[in-house]
Structure formats: structure tokens, C-alpha cells
């Protein structure tokens, strides 16, 4: 251990983000970025904000953005929290709401930042195995806990739960916080946001990175009872009172107001996702049912790492995971129509030679 480090640093196992390769003519299908650009209204709002006002601090309370989010979900501003991407919002939730004597519960195959946060904040946790067909079985969470968190749709599987199932879990689990991480909810899932007013232990977290094409601005938010929002705010104001810059605030407001662009692009991604899934099945892949902007698939005969390597040689990057249960799966982001066509054609060409 470096003698200048705090003791916790040696114990941390940091999150490893998806690769951001800098290769010419690359088809990048590994980090679930939206293949379509942000709303033109976002770009206009950013241009308008570029000027002398950048010398001024942004609104620490993000009142305009929180008001727009509240209106969008038919909630009150006091039920909304915003942060620097959903990762920061999640980090504050772990710190403020999920550290208790009993263990935090989350799936064994899920967003890999969860155990990282547990290590950072020294939270005791238990991982609940997915079923053999990679589904979250909520009955398995009916045990003593200090909180429950899972993505819906789950990542990296893309499988989604119905709102009715989540509400049943909330009815059975009233004494600890349930966090639903909805990064991919807008691609066909059923948001738990309408349950916020009825369950004071529910926190719903979303991001503008995926369905609003704003991964580069870093804007996330949480919906919950005002007491939960207050806890997040107390952590935020003890860490960074200005998590969102002026450009991020203006861009986020514009993105949420342009519903037409949002609906058009998400519909296109859903259509392309189904087309890719059908094409992969014709190439002898097993494809999990996805409600996200990606598919999770394994070939019936060929090794996933080998397929990933050959795709990369052809200029297409997908995500391969080394975790044992999913080591034969590839997570493939839904790209543009031409990118999806290139993926399928490349697979058809390389698979016979593997």
C-alpha cells in the first residue's frame, strides 16, 4: 500500500467503464450510447447559454430542471433530485439510504457499479442469483435486508419487470428503501414513477444519457418521497453543491421539453432492436428478451470472446464480459440502421470460419 493512501484506497476495486476506442471508421456498439443525436432544441439551448453567463455559478438547487421533471412525471418539485449523471445519483443513494446493519440486496448479474459503491461506502451486501433464464425473481428478495436495488430493465441482460411486480415487492418490503435504476426504461419498459406517491420507501433513478442522447452532458435524476430526496440533498451539499453546470441544466430542460424528438428516436431504436434480435436468431444466436437499447446474446456453438475479437478486427466493437455466468454472452448496442446492417452482415461472414 502506498504510504500516502488512506486505508480504504487499497481495498477498492474500481468500476471499469466501457472501452472508448479511438479508431478510424469504427462501429461502436459497446457502451449503449444513443446512435441518434440530441434534440435540435438542446443544441439551440446550449448555443444560447454560451456567453458571459458562464462566469456565474449555476443554480445549486436546479429549480427549473427539477420543476420540468416534476411536471413530466406529475410529481412535485420536492420529489425530484438531480445530479451529475445517474451514477452520481446512485452513489448518493448508496451513501444516504442503503448503508444499514442488514445487507443490501441486488442481483448477481447486474450493473457492476453496485459492488463498487458498496466497497467505497463499506456497505454489507448480498447478491441474489438470477434464474437460469437470466430473470430477476422478486420472491427471492423476501428476506431481511437493509435495502434493495436493481435496474429495470436489468443490465446487462435487458430483461424487464412489470410495474405490477415491483409494486408487489414494495407492498412486501415497507421497512427498507427499494431503488429502481431505470437507465433504460424508455425503450419499452414500464416505469415505477407512478408508484412514488404511494410508497415512501421507493426511489426511482433515471438518466438523460440514453433515451435523450445526452451522455456527454451527464444529467441524472431521482424521484421519491421528499424525505428520501432530503437525504440525497444533504449528501450532495456535503460533497458538491454545484453538480450540474449551466450548459447541462439548460440542455436537460430542452431535452425533456422536446417530446416529439424523444418519441421518434426511441421508437426507431425499439424497431431496430427487434430487427437485430431476429437477425441474430437466424444466425443461431440465443437472444434474451430486451426492453433496453441493446441486446444480450450468445451463440449456440461459437465462443463469445472469439466472436468479439473477430468483430473488432472487422471494425465493430461490442461488449464481452468475463464474469463466469455470462462469459458466453455479448452485449450489443443498437446502432443506426446502417450500423446494424453492417453488424449482421459481418457476423454472417465470420461465423462460418470460427
Amino acid at each position: 500500500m502506498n504510504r500516502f493512501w488512506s486505508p480504504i484506497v487499497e481495498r477498492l476495486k474500481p468500476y471499469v467503464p466501457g472501452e472508448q476506442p479511438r479508431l478510424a471508421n469504427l462501429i461502436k456498439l459497446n457502451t449503449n450510447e444513443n446512435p441518434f443525436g440530441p434534440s435540435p432544441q438542446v443544441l439551440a439551448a446550449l448555443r444560447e447559454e454560451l456567453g458571459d453567463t458562464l462566469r456565474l455559478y449555476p443554480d445549486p438547487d436546479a429549480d427549473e430542471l427539477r420543476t420540468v421533471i416534476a411536471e413530466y412525471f406529475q410529481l412535485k418539485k420536492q420529489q425530484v433530485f438531480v445530479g451529475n449523471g445517474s451514477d452520481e445519483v446512485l452513489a448518493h443513494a448508496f451513501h444516504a439510504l442503503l448503508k444499514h446493519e442488514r445487507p443490501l440486496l441486488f442481483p448477481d448479474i447486474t450493473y457492476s457499479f453496485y459492488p463498487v459503491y458498496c466497497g467505497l461506502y463499506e456497505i454489507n451486501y448480498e447478491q441474489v442469483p438470477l434464474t437460469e433464464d437470466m430473470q430477476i425473481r422478486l420472491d427471492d428478495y423476501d428476506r431481511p435486508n437493509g435495502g434493495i436495488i436493481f435496474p429495470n430493465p436489468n443490465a446487462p441482460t435487458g430483461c424487464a419487470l412489470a410495474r405490477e411486480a415491483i409494486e408487489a415487492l414494495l407492498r412486501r418490503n415497507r421497512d427498507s428503501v427499494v431503488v429502481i435504476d431505470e437507465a433504460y426504461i424508455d425503450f419499452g419498459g414500464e416505469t415505477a414513477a407512478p408508484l412514488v406517491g404511494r410508497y415512501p420507501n421507493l426511489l426511482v433513478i433515471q438518466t438523460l444519457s440514453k433515451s435523450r442522447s445526452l451522455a456527454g452532458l451527464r444529467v441524472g435524476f431521482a424521484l421519491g418521497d421528499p424525505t428520501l430526496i432530503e437525504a440525497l440533498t444533504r449528501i450532495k451539499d456535503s460533497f458538491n453543491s454545484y453538480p450540474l453546470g449551466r450548459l447541462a441544466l439548460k440542455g436537460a430542460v430542452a431535452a425533456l421539453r422536446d417530446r416529439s424528438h424523444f418519441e421518434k428516436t426511441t421508437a426507431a431504436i425499439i424497431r431496430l432492436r427487434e430487427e437485430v434480435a431476429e437477425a441474430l436468431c437466424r444466425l443461431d444466436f440465443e437472444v434474451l428478451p430486451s426492453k433496453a437499447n441493446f441486446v444480450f446474446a450468445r451463440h449456440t456453438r461459437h465462443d463469445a470472446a472469439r466472436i468479439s475479437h473477430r468483430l473488432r478486427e472487422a471494425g465493430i466493437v461490442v461488449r464481452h464480459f468475463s464474469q463466469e455466468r455470462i462469459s458466453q454472452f455479448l452485449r450489443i448496442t443498437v446502432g443506426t440502421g446502417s450500423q446494424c446492417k453492417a453488424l449482421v452482415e459481418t457476423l454472417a461472414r465470420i461465423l462460418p470460419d470460427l
Side-chain angles (χ1 to χ4, degrees):
M1 181 177 72
N2 187 295
R3 65 190 180 94
F4 297 116
W5 288 3
S6 298
I8 193 174
V9 176
E10 182 72 17
R11 300 194 300 270
L12 291 178
K13 295 181 179 179
Y15 173 75
V16 179
E19 181 188 9
Q20 297 286 353
R22 292 173 173 81
L23 302 173
N25 302 315
L26 180 73
I27 296 178
K28 188 172 178 292
L29 305 178
N30 66 321
T31 51
N32 299 339
E33 292 151 325
N34 196 314
F36 305 111
S39 160
Q41 294 183 27
V42 171
L43 303 181
L46 296 180
R47 286 191 292 268
E48 185 177 338
E49 189 64 23
L50 286 172
D52 186 62
T53 56
L54 292 182
R55 67 185 176 82
L56 303 173
Y57 283 108
D59 177 7
D61 298 320
D63 280 333
E64 182 185 19
L65 176 56
R66 289 171 55 224
T67 297
V68 169
I69 293 171
E71 291 172 351
Y72 188 95
F73 290 99
Q74 298 182 316
L75 296 170
K76 298 178 181 177
K77 185 177 69 174
Q78 292 75 19
Q79 295 171 293
V80 179
F81 176 86
V82 299
N84 189 254
S86 61
D87 284 339
E88 182 181 79
V89 179
L90 283 164
H92 291 340
F94 272 73
H95 203 179
L97 303 170
L98 301 177
K99 183 176 182 178
H100 301 284
E101 290 185 9
R102 290 176 170 174
L104 172 65
L105 306 181
F106 53 81
D108 65 332
I109 306 298
T110 194
Y111 187 28
S112 55
F113 227 138
Y114 297 167
V116 173
Y117 291 136
C118 289
L120 178 61
Y121 298 121
E122 300 182 315
I123 298 171
N124 181 28
Y125 69 93
E126 293 178 3
Q127 293 178 295
V128 181
L130 298 183
T131 62
E132 286 300 312
D133 58 351
M134 294 292 167
Q135 303 291 324
I136 294 174
R137 183 167 53 206
L138 291 181
D139 288 350
D140 294 342
Y141 291 78
D142 292 342
R143 62 172 97 168
N145 67 79
I148 296 171
I149 183 170
F150 55 83
N152 189 43
N154 193 17
T157 67
C159 300
L161 293 164
R163 185 190 301 142
E164 181 181 12
I166 292 172
E167 183 168 18
L169 173 69
L170 288 164
R171 286 197 297 265
R172 302 193 304 267
N173 193 83
R174 295 180 181 272
D175 295 328
S176 59
V177 172
V178 176
V179 179
I180 310 299
D181 182 358
E182 294 188 344
Y184 300 100
I185 197 66
D186 293 323
F187 301 105
E190 196 174 16
T191 180
L195 305 177
V196 163
R198 301 206 296 273
Y199 296 91
N201 62 325
L202 170 64
L203 191 75
V204 176
I205 296 178
Q206 292 194 15
T207 178
L208 301 191
S209 293
K210 310 300 183 183
S211 60
R212 263 78 179 192
S213 306
L214 293 183
L217 279 190
R218 313 306 302 131
V219 181
F221 60 91
L223 311 172
D225 187 85
T227 59
L228 302 185
I229 301 305
E230 180 185 357
L232 298 178
T233 304
R234 289 170 67 89
I235 292 290
K236 186 264 290 186
D237 287 339
S238 301
F239 175 73
N240 178 11
S241 294
Y242 301 97
L244 291 178
R246 300 180 72 92
L247 294 177
L249 290 170
K250 290 296 184 181
V253 167
L256 287 163
R257 285 178 172 163
D258 190 352
R259 296 203 185 199
S260 175
H261 182 83
F262 160 74
E263 291 170 357
K264 181 176 69 173
T265 53
T266 52
I269 290 171
I270 291 169
R271 175 180 56 79
L272 287 165
R273 181 190 67 211
E274 299 309 307
E275 291 176 2
V276 168
E278 292 174 7
L280 290 175
C281 289
R282 290 194 296 269
L283 293 172
D284 293 329
F285 280 88
E286 297 175 1
V287 184
L288 296 186
S290 175
K291 294 294 184 180
N293 68 336
F294 59 84
V295 294
F296 203 51
R298 62 182 171 187
H299 201 271
T300 58
R301 299 184 307 279
H302 298 302
D303 178 69
R306 179 65 175 157
I307 297 173
S308 176
H309 177 72
R310 289 294 303 276
L311 283 172
R312 188 184 182 90
E313 289 181 334
I316 301 174
V317 181
V318 298
R319 189 79 184 266
H320 174 247
F321 296 87
S322 60
Q323 192 173 348
E324 184 177 355
R325 283 194 73 187
I326 56 174
S327 62
Q328 288 305 312
F329 281 89
L330 298 173
R331 193 192 68 190
I332 304 171
T333 304
V334 176
T336 62
S338 61
Q339 289 174 332
C340 293
K341 183 173 183 288
L343 167 74
V344 173
E345 290 177 349
T346 302
L347 284 169
R349 185 177 73 252
I350 67 175
L351 287 173
D353 296 330
L354 292 179

